[in-house]
Amino acid sequence: LLRIVTHLAIFIDMICPNTIDEADKSRLITAYVTILSLYELYETVPVYISFLNKQESEEAYSFFLSNLVDSDVREKQLQLSNFLQLPTANILRRTAQRIFADTEQYYNPETTITVNYDISDIDRRLMSGAEWLLEGKLYADAIDSIIALSRRFLINGKIKSLEHFFNRKDLNEIIKHHEMDKLASKSSNEEDLTILEIKQYQNLLQGFKKYEEWKKSSSLFNSQSNLPTLVKQFKEFSNGIYQLIKDFLVYLSEDERVQDKEALFEIRALYTPYLVIELHKSLVSASESLKISSFINEALNLTNLVANETDKIYLLFQSSGRLKEYLQLIARSATLLAH
């Protein structure tokens, strides 16, 4: 019955425009689209959407698209949307906006945040919001969505979710397309802070990757291991993490053009103390397994980096609530040095 009434309303509206109330027509079509979605008759959905006005089509179609997961289905929907000359760009923007809004309630950081390695279905849905913009080649909007996604994941400790998203996308290619679009539109040649921020997150993920590689190598260490190779690997890891601690988001945190610097501070307050503590533990562990006592000195010397007034990393420890934990770690390491 709904199918018949919907078709009748569309037919009458085509023959005698404005005979059918716009709100009634919209309710009929959106209800019928919902039925089509339930029966997975996806390819017919945009056809019915095309009979809605611009605003209604954006709302109805974006709701439909926001729940699609299959990549082949998504690609087909884009093709159909363009073929039917729907306002595809605005629909995709609204789809991404809807997904980010719908998932926001699941990302409310508690007082204490820990770095975790789980990837939830909600995380995957959030990723799909940015992916719609990328699939539609809306690179400027996609870059902004990647920033929003990265901040949301990192503030909630979801390092693996961000790594999963970054690994699925050729970020360098996306950045290149974005820069080409800026040139074509003759946008400002001013330094692009969004690109710098994304590169900072790439550096963070690279640091975590090196950390995981070192943990794996050290767990396999035995008397038959190649000691010089392990020492070299560890030095590369420790030097890289040290530089990351010094540099991560520092430049952007000090730039007046950056919006929502509070979010950057939250991210630094979570990850910089975490990296300091993990580097300290790694140095102490390596001093024991590799029999290089100077690594304990290096661990204790990290206090100079934390306490100096130039970097002010101690403020990040205070904000994260991990200062007491770090001081206890230093005390235990100092007793090892005394022996």
Side-chain angles (χ1 to χ4, degrees):
L1 181 61
L2 179 60
R3 177 175 179 271
I4 294 170
V5 174
T6 302
H7 285 186
L8 184 60
I10 292 172
F11 179 73
I12 292 173
D13 193 56
M14 290 173 66
I15 300 300
C16 304
N18 302 320
T19 304
I20 304 294
D21 181 77
E22 193 66 33
D24 289 338
K25 185 182 75 170
S26 175
R27 280 193 288 271
L28 279 171
I29 292 175
T30 52
Y32 188 53
V33 163
T34 301
I35 299 299
L36 293 173
S37 301
L38 289 173
Y39 286 96
E40 299 184 1
L41 299 171
Y42 300 138
E43 293 188 13
T44 57
V45 168
V47 176
Y48 289 94
I49 294 291
S50 67
F51 291 105
L52 296 172
N53 63 39
K54 183 176 181 294
Q55 182 179 355
E56 293 289 349
S57 68
E58 289 177 11
E59 287 300 309
Y61 202 22
S62 66
F63 178 79
F64 167 71
L65 294 180
S66 69
N67 293 292
L68 292 183
V69 176
D70 187 275
S71 58
D72 291 335
V73 173
R74 288 160 64 104
E75 184 181 356
K76 186 63 176 179
Q77 288 297 313
L78 274 180
Q79 292 170 358
L80 290 169
S81 180
N82 289 325
F83 176 75
L84 294 166
Q85 297 183 323
L86 294 174
T88 305
N90 286 340
I91 288 169
L92 294 180
R93 292 186 182 103
R94 181 69 183 103
T95 301
Q97 182 186 51
R98 186 186 291 278
I99 291 171
F100 272 78
D102 288 350
T103 55
E104 186 175 9
Q105 61 181 309
Y106 300 100
Y107 297 95
N108 293 315
E110 303 294 335
T111 306
T112 303
I113 303 298
T114 56
V115 176
N116 68 75
Y117 295 88
D118 297 325
I119 303 174
S120 69
D121 289 339
I122 300 298
D123 295 340
R124 296 180 196 279
R125 182 157 188 249
L126 182 58
M127 294 176 208
S128 75
E131 286 169 346
W132 272 120
L133 296 169
L134 290 170
E135 288 161 15
K137 296 180 171 53
L138 301 172
Y139 293 110
D141 297 286
I143 290 292
D144 289 339
S145 73
I146 291 171
I147 292 292
L149 175 145
S150 299
R151 289 182 177 189
R152 188 179 288 187
F153 278 160
L154 291 177
I155 286 173
N156 288 272
K158 289 185 165 290
I159 194 77
K160 270 297 176 191
S161 298
L162 185 60
E163 181 184 50
H164 179 75
F165 178 79
F166 277 23
N167 285 344
R168 288 172 60 181
K169 304 299 167 190
D170 188 341
L171 288 176
N172 293 329
E173 191 69 16
I174 293 167
I175 290 169
K176 185 170 73 175
H177 281 297
H178 171 59
E179 291 172 342
M180 288 173 66
D181 285 352
K182 284 184 65 178
L183 285 173
S185 62
K186 298 182 180 178
S187 298
S188 170
N189 289 325
E190 190 175 86
E191 184 178 35
D192 196 328
L193 298 177
T194 57
I195 301 305
L196 289 179
E197 187 171 342
I198 288 173
K199 289 181 177 178
Q200 284 286 289
Y201 298 144
Q202 286 180 301
N203 291 342
L204 178 66
L205 293 176
Q206 186 62 27
F208 270 88
K209 182 180 178 182
K210 291 289 185 185
Y211 177 42
E212 289 176 7
E213 289 172 353
W214 167 248
K215 285 199 297 184
K216 183 178 179 180
S217 295
S218 60
S219 68
L220 299 173
F221 177 76
N222 56 50
S223 58
Q224 305 300 314
S225 299
N226 187 322
L227 187 59
T229 300
L230 276 173
V231 172
K232 181 183 177 183
Q233 182 187 2
F234 179 74
K235 290 298 291 182
E236 288 175 355
F237 152 71
S238 62
N239 290 340
I241 295 297
Y242 182 88
Q243 200 58 47
L244 184 60
I245 290 166
K246 280 186 64 69
D247 296 341
F248 182 56
L249 293 179
V250 172
Y251 174 76
L252 290 169
S253 299
E254 296 171 351
D255 196 305
E256 293 301 321
R257 295 169 295 165
V258 174
Q259 297 181 348
D260 195 13
K261 287 200 280 191
E262 293 81 5
L264 297 188
F265 183 84
E266 284 186 63
I267 294 170
R268 289 189 68 212
L270 175 57
Y271 291 94
T272 300
Y274 178 88
L275 291 170
V276 170
I277 288 172
E278 293 306 313
L279 178 56
H280 183 111
K281 291 177 179 177
S282 296
L283 283 163
V284 172
S285 175
S287 74
E288 296 171 348
S289 59
L290 302 178
K291 308 301 181 186
I292 302 177
S293 59
S294 62
F295 285 162
I296 294 184
N297 287 319
E298 288 187 40
L300 293 173
N301 285 338
L302 289 175
T303 56
N304 297 326
L305 175 61
V306 172
N308 77 70
E309 285 297 326
T310 301
D311 298 297
K312 295 184 178 180
I313 292 175
Y314 62 87
L315 295 177
L316 303 176
F317 272 89
Q318 289 175 344
S319 178
S320 67
R322 302 194 71 178
L323 185 57
K324 182 178 179 181
E325 175 189 353
Y326 181 53
L327 293 175
Q328 290 172 341
L329 191 63
I330 293 167
R332 288 196 297 272
S333 301
T335 59
L336 293 175
L337 189 65
H339 291 109

